[in-house]
Amino acid sequence: MILGIGSDLANIERIQRVLDRHGDRFKNRVFTEVEQAKANRRRDQAGTYAKRWAAKEACSKALGTGLAMGISWKDMAVANLETGQPVMHVTGWAKERLAKMTPDGHEAIIHVTLTDDHPWAQAFVVIEARPLA
């Protein structure tokens, strides 16, 4: 069953301006070390950050909170499987919220997809509850 759906569209040029103006302060407030390492390996760092920004926004919407109710930016983090597929990890308040949303006898699976076409970065998040075997 679907527990939540979220989407977000981020402007890569806007994220670049924020990076230019606030640099490490912005990165350290919003992105985990894993996310920053991924961006640092990419030629299009702003695009990489914009996709992850959009994913965090989309995840907060799928959790039904937006960026309110105590969620921290770093409570939601995008990593990649060896195949390149993005995955969303939640900690802190986001993890607590996810647990409250998940019906007994089910496990929550967070699906995330990212795309960009300059100047836009987009993310969709679907939270699914699967019955435990």
Short mmCIF file of all heavy atoms in Angstrom, two decimals, residues 43-78:
data_model
loop_
_atom_site.label_atom_id
_atom_site.label_comp_id
_atom_site.label_asym_id
_atom_site.label_seq_id
_atom_site.Cartn_x
_atom_site.Cartn_y
_atom_site.Cartn_z
N ARG A 43 31.18 16.58 -11.93
CA ARG A 43 31.50 17.84 -12.62
C ARG A 43 30.41 18.88 -12.36
O ARG A 43 30.70 20.04 -12.13
CB ARG A 43 31.65 17.59 -14.12
CG ARG A 43 32.28 18.74 -14.86
CD ARG A 43 32.48 18.39 -16.28
NE ARG A 43 31.17 18.14 -16.87
CZ ARG A 43 30.84 18.40 -18.12
NH1 ARG A 43 31.74 18.84 -18.94
NH2 ARG A 43 29.64 18.17 -18.56
N ASP A 44 29.15 18.42 -12.38
CA ASP A 44 28.01 19.32 -12.13
C ASP A 44 27.61 19.23 -10.67
O ASP A 44 26.61 18.61 -10.32
CB ASP A 44 26.84 18.97 -13.05
CG ASP A 44 25.64 19.87 -12.85
OD1 ASP A 44 25.79 20.95 -12.23
OD2 ASP A 44 24.55 19.49 -13.31
N GLN A 45 28.37 19.87 -9.80
CA GLN A 45 28.08 19.80 -8.37
C GLN A 45 26.74 20.42 -8.04
O GLN A 45 25.96 19.87 -7.25
CB GLN A 45 29.19 20.48 -7.56
CG GLN A 45 30.47 19.69 -7.53
CD GLN A 45 31.51 20.29 -6.61
OE1 GLN A 45 31.20 21.14 -5.78
NE2 GLN A 45 32.74 19.85 -6.75
N ALA A 46 26.44 21.56 -8.64
CA ALA A 46 25.17 22.23 -8.34
C ALA A 46 23.99 21.34 -8.74
O ALA A 46 22.99 21.26 -8.01
CB ALA A 46 25.09 23.57 -9.03
N GLY A 47 24.08 20.66 -9.86
CA GLY A 47 23.01 19.75 -10.29
C GLY A 47 22.85 18.59 -9.34
O GLY A 47 21.73 18.17 -9.03
N THR A 48 23.96 18.07 -8.86
CA THR A 48 23.93 16.97 -7.90
C THR A 48 23.27 17.42 -6.60
O THR A 48 22.41 16.73 -6.04
CB THR A 48 25.35 16.44 -7.64
OG1 THR A 48 25.90 16.01 -8.89
CG2 THR A 48 25.35 15.28 -6.66
N TYR A 49 23.66 18.59 -6.11
CA TYR A 49 23.03 19.12 -4.89
C TYR A 49 21.55 19.43 -5.13
O TYR A 49 20.72 19.18 -4.25
CB TYR A 49 23.77 20.37 -4.40
CG TYR A 49 25.05 20.06 -3.66
CD1 TYR A 49 26.27 20.58 -4.10
CD2 TYR A 49 25.05 19.28 -2.51
CE1 TYR A 49 27.45 20.31 -3.42
CE2 TYR A 49 26.22 19.00 -1.83
CZ TYR A 49 27.41 19.52 -2.28
OH TYR A 49 28.56 19.24 -1.61
N ALA A 50 21.21 19.97 -6.27
CA ALA A 50 19.82 20.33 -6.55
C ALA A 50 18.93 19.09 -6.56
O ALA A 50 17.81 19.12 -6.04
CB ALA A 50 19.72 21.08 -7.88
N LYS A 51 19.42 17.99 -7.14
CA LYS A 51 18.62 16.76 -7.14
C LYS A 51 18.40 16.25 -5.72
O LYS A 51 17.30 15.82 -5.37
CB LYS A 51 19.29 15.68 -7.99
CG LYS A 51 19.15 15.94 -9.49
CD LYS A 51 19.73 14.81 -10.30
CE LYS A 51 21.22 14.96 -10.38
NZ LYS A 51 21.83 14.04 -11.36
N ARG A 52 19.43 16.33 -4.89
CA ARG A 52 19.30 15.87 -3.52
C ARG A 52 18.42 16.80 -2.69
O ARG A 52 17.67 16.37 -1.83
CB ARG A 52 20.69 15.68 -2.90
CG ARG A 52 21.24 14.32 -3.32
CD ARG A 52 22.72 14.26 -3.53
NE ARG A 52 23.08 12.93 -4.00
CZ ARG A 52 22.92 12.50 -5.26
NH1 ARG A 52 22.41 13.30 -6.17
NH2 ARG A 52 23.25 11.28 -5.60
N TRP A 53 18.52 18.09 -2.96
CA TRP A 53 17.62 19.06 -2.32
C TRP A 53 16.17 18.70 -2.65
O TRP A 53 15.32 18.62 -1.77
CB TRP A 53 17.95 20.47 -2.82
CG TRP A 53 16.99 21.53 -2.38
CD1 TRP A 53 15.77 21.83 -2.93
CD2 TRP A 53 17.16 22.43 -1.30
NE1 TRP A 53 15.19 22.88 -2.26
CE2 TRP A 53 16.02 23.26 -1.25
CE3 TRP A 53 18.18 22.64 -0.36
CZ2 TRP A 53 15.86 24.26 -0.31
CZ3 TRP A 53 18.01 23.64 0.57
CH2 TRP A 53 16.86 24.44 0.60
N ALA A 54 15.90 18.48 -3.94
CA ALA A 54 14.55 18.13 -4.38
C ALA A 54 14.09 16.82 -3.73
O ALA A 54 12.93 16.69 -3.33
CB ALA A 54 14.49 18.02 -5.90
N ALA A 55 15.01 15.86 -3.59
CA ALA A 55 14.65 14.58 -2.98
C ALA A 55 14.27 14.76 -1.51
O ALA A 55 13.32 14.13 -1.02
CB ALA A 55 15.80 13.59 -3.11
N LYS A 56 14.98 15.61 -0.80
CA LYS A 56 14.67 15.87 0.61
C LYS A 56 13.30 16.55 0.73
O LYS A 56 12.50 16.19 1.61
CB LYS A 56 15.77 16.73 1.25
CG LYS A 56 17.10 15.99 1.41
CD LYS A 56 18.21 16.95 1.77
CE LYS A 56 19.55 16.30 1.77
NZ LYS A 56 19.88 15.65 3.05
N GLU A 57 13.04 17.51 -0.12
CA GLU A 57 11.73 18.18 -0.13
C GLU A 57 10.63 17.17 -0.44
O GLU A 57 9.59 17.14 0.22
CB GLU A 57 11.72 19.30 -1.17
CG GLU A 57 12.53 20.51 -0.79
CD GLU A 57 11.76 21.51 0.07
OE1 GLU A 57 10.62 21.21 0.49
OE2 GLU A 57 12.30 22.60 0.31
N ALA A 58 10.85 16.34 -1.46
CA ALA A 58 9.85 15.34 -1.85
C ALA A 58 9.62 14.33 -0.73
O ALA A 58 8.48 13.94 -0.45
CB ALA A 58 10.29 14.63 -3.13
N CYS A 59 10.68 13.92 -0.07
CA CYS A 59 10.56 12.96 1.03
C CYS A 59 9.76 13.56 2.19
O CYS A 59 8.89 12.90 2.77
CB CYS A 59 11.94 12.50 1.50
SG CYS A 59 11.89 11.22 2.76
N SER A 60 10.05 14.82 2.51
CA SER A 60 9.31 15.46 3.61
C SER A 60 7.82 15.55 3.28
O SER A 60 6.98 15.38 4.16
CB SER A 60 9.89 16.84 3.93
OG SER A 60 9.61 17.78 2.92
N LYS A 61 7.50 15.77 2.02
CA LYS A 61 6.10 15.81 1.60
C LYS A 61 5.47 14.42 1.68
O LYS A 61 4.33 14.27 2.13
CB LYS A 61 5.98 16.37 0.18
CG LYS A 61 6.37 17.84 0.09
CD LYS A 61 6.48 18.30 -1.35
CE LYS A 61 6.99 19.73 -1.42
NZ LYS A 61 7.25 20.16 -2.81
N ALA A 62 6.21 13.40 1.27
CA ALA A 62 5.70 12.03 1.35
C ALA A 62 5.48 11.60 2.80
O ALA A 62 4.58 10.82 3.10
CB ALA A 62 6.66 11.06 0.65
N LEU A 63 6.30 12.13 3.69
CA LEU A 63 6.13 11.86 5.12
C LEU A 63 4.94 12.62 5.71
O LEU A 63 4.56 12.40 6.85
CB LEU A 63 7.40 12.21 5.90
CG LEU A 63 8.59 11.28 5.68
CD1 LEU A 63 9.86 11.89 6.25
CD2 LEU A 63 8.32 9.91 6.28
N GLY A 64 4.39 13.54 4.92
CA GLY A 64 3.21 14.28 5.35
C GLY A 64 3.51 15.47 6.23
O GLY A 64 2.62 15.96 6.92
N THR A 65 4.75 15.93 6.22
CA THR A 65 5.12 17.00 7.13
C THR A 65 5.61 18.25 6.43
O THR A 65 5.58 19.32 7.02
CB THR A 65 6.26 16.55 8.05
OG1 THR A 65 7.42 16.31 7.26
CG2 THR A 65 5.88 15.31 8.83
N GLY A 66 6.10 18.13 5.21
CA GLY A 66 6.89 19.22 4.67
C GLY A 66 8.09 19.38 5.58
O GLY A 66 8.40 18.49 6.38
N LEU A 67 8.78 20.46 5.50
CA LEU A 67 9.94 20.67 6.37
C LEU A 67 9.51 21.39 7.64
O LEU A 67 9.96 22.47 7.96
CB LEU A 67 11.05 21.41 5.63
CG LEU A 67 11.78 20.48 4.66
CD1 LEU A 67 12.57 21.28 3.66
CD2 LEU A 67 12.67 19.51 5.41
N ALA A 68 8.60 20.76 8.33
CA ALA A 68 8.09 21.29 9.60
C ALA A 68 8.12 20.15 10.60
O ALA A 68 8.60 19.07 10.32
CB ALA A 68 6.66 21.80 9.40
N MET A 69 7.59 20.39 11.74
CA MET A 69 7.39 19.36 12.74
C MET A 69 8.69 18.71 13.21
O MET A 69 8.70 17.57 13.63
CB MET A 69 6.42 18.29 12.24
CG MET A 69 5.03 18.83 11.92
SD MET A 69 3.93 17.64 11.16
CE MET A 69 3.74 16.44 12.46
N GLY A 70 9.83 19.39 13.09
CA GLY A 70 11.07 18.87 13.66
C GLY A 70 11.97 18.12 12.72
O GLY A 70 13.03 17.64 13.13
N ILE A 71 11.59 17.95 11.46
CA ILE A 71 12.47 17.26 10.52
C ILE A 71 13.68 18.12 10.23
O ILE A 71 13.57 19.32 10.01
CB ILE A 71 11.74 16.91 9.21
CG1 ILE A 71 10.88 15.67 9.40
CG2 ILE A 71 12.72 16.65 8.08
CD1 ILE A 71 10.24 15.15 8.14
N SER A 72 14.84 17.50 10.23
CA SER A 72 16.09 18.16 9.86
C SER A 72 16.43 17.74 8.44
O SER A 72 16.13 16.63 8.01
CB SER A 72 17.20 17.71 10.82
OG SER A 72 18.46 18.02 10.29
N TRP A 73 17.08 18.64 7.72
CA TRP A 73 17.51 18.31 6.36
C TRP A 73 18.32 17.02 6.33
O TRP A 73 18.17 16.20 5.44
CB TRP A 73 18.36 19.44 5.79
CG TRP A 73 17.59 20.66 5.41
CD1 TRP A 73 17.51 21.83 6.11
CD2 TRP A 73 16.78 20.85 4.24
NE1 TRP A 73 16.71 22.73 5.44
CE2 TRP A 73 16.26 22.16 4.29
CE3 TRP A 73 16.48 20.04 3.15
CZ2 TRP A 73 15.43 22.67 3.30
CZ3 TRP A 73 15.66 20.55 2.16
CH2 TRP A 73 15.14 21.85 2.23
N LYS A 74 19.18 16.85 7.32
CA LYS A 74 20.05 15.68 7.33
C LYS A 74 19.35 14.42 7.81
O LYS A 74 19.92 13.34 7.77
CB LYS A 74 21.30 15.96 8.18
CG LYS A 74 22.26 16.91 7.51
CD LYS A 74 23.51 17.02 8.35
CE LYS A 74 24.54 17.92 7.72
NZ LYS A 74 25.76 17.97 8.55
N ASP A 75 18.10 14.54 8.27
CA ASP A 75 17.31 13.36 8.63
C ASP A 75 16.92 12.56 7.39
O ASP A 75 16.46 11.43 7.51
CB ASP A 75 16.03 13.74 9.37
CG ASP A 75 16.27 14.14 10.82
OD1 ASP A 75 17.39 13.94 11.33
OD2 ASP A 75 15.33 14.68 11.44
N MET A 76 17.08 13.16 6.22
CA MET A 76 16.78 12.50 4.94
C MET A 76 18.04 12.59 4.10
O MET A 76 18.56 13.69 3.90
CB MET A 76 15.62 13.21 4.24
CG MET A 76 14.35 13.26 5.07
SD MET A 76 13.18 14.49 4.48
CE MET A 76 14.00 16.01 4.94
N ALA A 77 18.53 11.45 3.62
CA ALA A 77 19.79 11.45 2.88
C ALA A 77 19.71 10.52 1.68
O ALA A 77 19.21 9.40 1.79
CB ALA A 77 20.94 11.03 3.79
N VAL A 78 20.21 10.99 0.56
CA VAL A 78 20.24 10.20 -0.66
C VAL A 78 21.62 9.58 -0.82
O VAL A 78 22.64 10.26 -0.71
CB VAL A 78 19.92 11.07 -1.90
CG1 VAL A 78 20.00 10.24 -3.18
CG2 VAL A 78 18.55 11.71 -1.77
#
